[in-house]
Amino acid sequence: MLGKRNSIKVRHEYKYLITEGSYLQLKNILDKTMYMDKHSKDSEGYHIRSLYFDDIYDTALNEKYLGIPNRRKFRVRIYNFSDKVIKLEEKIKYDNYIQKKVCSISKSEYEDIFDGNIESLIHDNNSVKKNYYYQIRNNMLRPKVIVDYKREAYTFPFNQIRITFDRGLSAQRPYRNIFDKDLISYNVGQGYENILEVKYDNYLPNHIKNALEMYCHSRLAISKYVICREHLSI
């Protein structure tokens, strides 16, 4: 059972499917009103690869299907195929609010987690690592799918506002060497070319809110994790 929303630090999160035309219009507006994320390699942003885990019952997948408002997902995330920054994450969803628990791990720690060699996690003081230990040990948490996409991210120095365009979504079966940029991936195809995500702490300024209302009409009902799991099941 997840904690009450007013007792923890959470952020708003909304996701939309937008057309190519809306993407170009919004990108033009955000270029003038917000700041491109400092980690962007070029105008197309940066590459994200996430290895998602689920338990023996596919709880994260099935709770999304059932529309359960309070749920969680586990993943390892890297950027631009590099092993310099590897994030171990637990993302907790409270309806339209999110909380992320994150810690950095080494490449060897990642490989141990993938292989199921987890005893070192229980001896670490980090709460994220300890929770992974219990999830793997007690709930048979295992790698399920690799999710790839390019992200263009814009930030605003107020309420930690972050707006991202995720493009080129593709799915791959779990693979130990997630740093290999030549892994065979499967594009999820029509309908998910442009995914917009909006995250912020309290509220949006009117000029950003008005721009989003003009072009964002189709809320995304399922997550990228679910989309990619479904695609690989075909």
Side-chain angles (χ1 to χ4, degrees), residues 40-223:
S40 299
K41 294 183 65 178
D42 50 38
S43 61
E44 294 185 353
Y46 51 93
H47 184 274
I48 290 179
R49 172 169 286 169
S50 298
L51 173 66
Y52 281 88
F53 295 73
D54 211 336
D55 61 27
I56 191 172
Y57 303 108
D58 276 336
T59 297
L61 184 69
N62 291 318
E63 286 186 344
K64 182 62 177 176
Y65 283 141
L66 293 171
I68 294 174
N70 295 347
R71 55 191 184 273
R72 65 187 70 216
K73 290 197 292 283
F74 299 88
R75 68 192 180 202
V76 170
R77 174 163 285 186
I78 63 170
Y79 304 90
N80 299 316
F81 310 107
S82 172
D83 60 7
K84 303 302 182 186
V85 177
I86 308 172
K87 299 293 187 182
L88 187 66
E89 300 184 352
E90 177 183 359
K91 184 177 181 181
I92 307 171
K93 184 86 169 174
Y94 307 89
D95 201 4
N96 291 324
Y97 299 87
I98 60 166
Q99 179 192 32
K100 279 208 304 186
K101 299 179 180 180
V102 183
C103 73
S104 295
I105 57 174
S106 66
K107 184 178 181 181
S108 61
E109 285 179 309
Y110 155 71
E111 290 171 342
D112 282 344
I113 291 170
F114 189 95
D115 294 338
N117 302 323
I118 58 171
E119 293 309 313
S120 64
L121 296 178
I122 195 60
H123 301 297
D124 197 294
N125 289 327
N126 185 278
S127 61
V128 178
K129 293 181 182 181
K130 283 188 174 181
N131 194 30
Y132 261 78
Y133 173 87
Y134 290 119
Q135 292 292 331
I136 293 170
R137 177 67 66 206
N138 298 333
N139 298 328
M140 301 289 287
L141 198 70
R142 294 293 185 270
K144 296 288 184 174
V145 67
I146 292 174
V147 175
D148 275 4
Y149 51 91
K150 286 293 290 288
R151 167 164 284 181
E152 297 174 41
Y154 292 86
T155 63
F156 193 73
F158 175 79
N159 277 336
Q160 296 191 64
I161 297 170
R162 185 173 176 84
I163 298 176
T164 59
F165 300 103
D166 294 338
R167 295 160 59 82
L169 181 64
S170 63
Q172 304 172 47
R173 302 199 183 278
Y175 188 71
R176 189 174 189 263
N177 185 11
I178 58 174
F179 313 100
D180 181 359
K181 64 180 180 180
D182 296 321
L183 288 182
I184 297 175
S185 62
Y186 303 89
N187 193 287
V188 300
Q190 190 173 7
Y192 301 107
E193 292 86 353
N194 295 295
I195 298 174
L196 176 75
E197 295 190 4
V198 183
K199 301 183 182 75
Y200 58 95
D201 281 356
N202 297 305
Y203 62 90
L204 293 172
N206 284 335
H207 70 282
I208 296 177
K209 182 179 179 181
N210 292 339
L212 293 172
E213 288 178 346
M214 188 178 302
Y215 297 105
C216 301
H217 307 294
S218 178
R219 285 279 297 275
L220 181 62
I222 58 177
S223 68

Side-chain angles (χ1 to χ4, degrees), residues 28-41:
N28 185 55
I29 293 172
L30 297 182
D31 276 335
K32 296 177 173 62
T33 58
M34 297 182 68
Y35 301 92
M36 182 164 278
D37 186 277
K38 63 182 180 180
H39 300 295
S40 299
K41 294 183 65 178

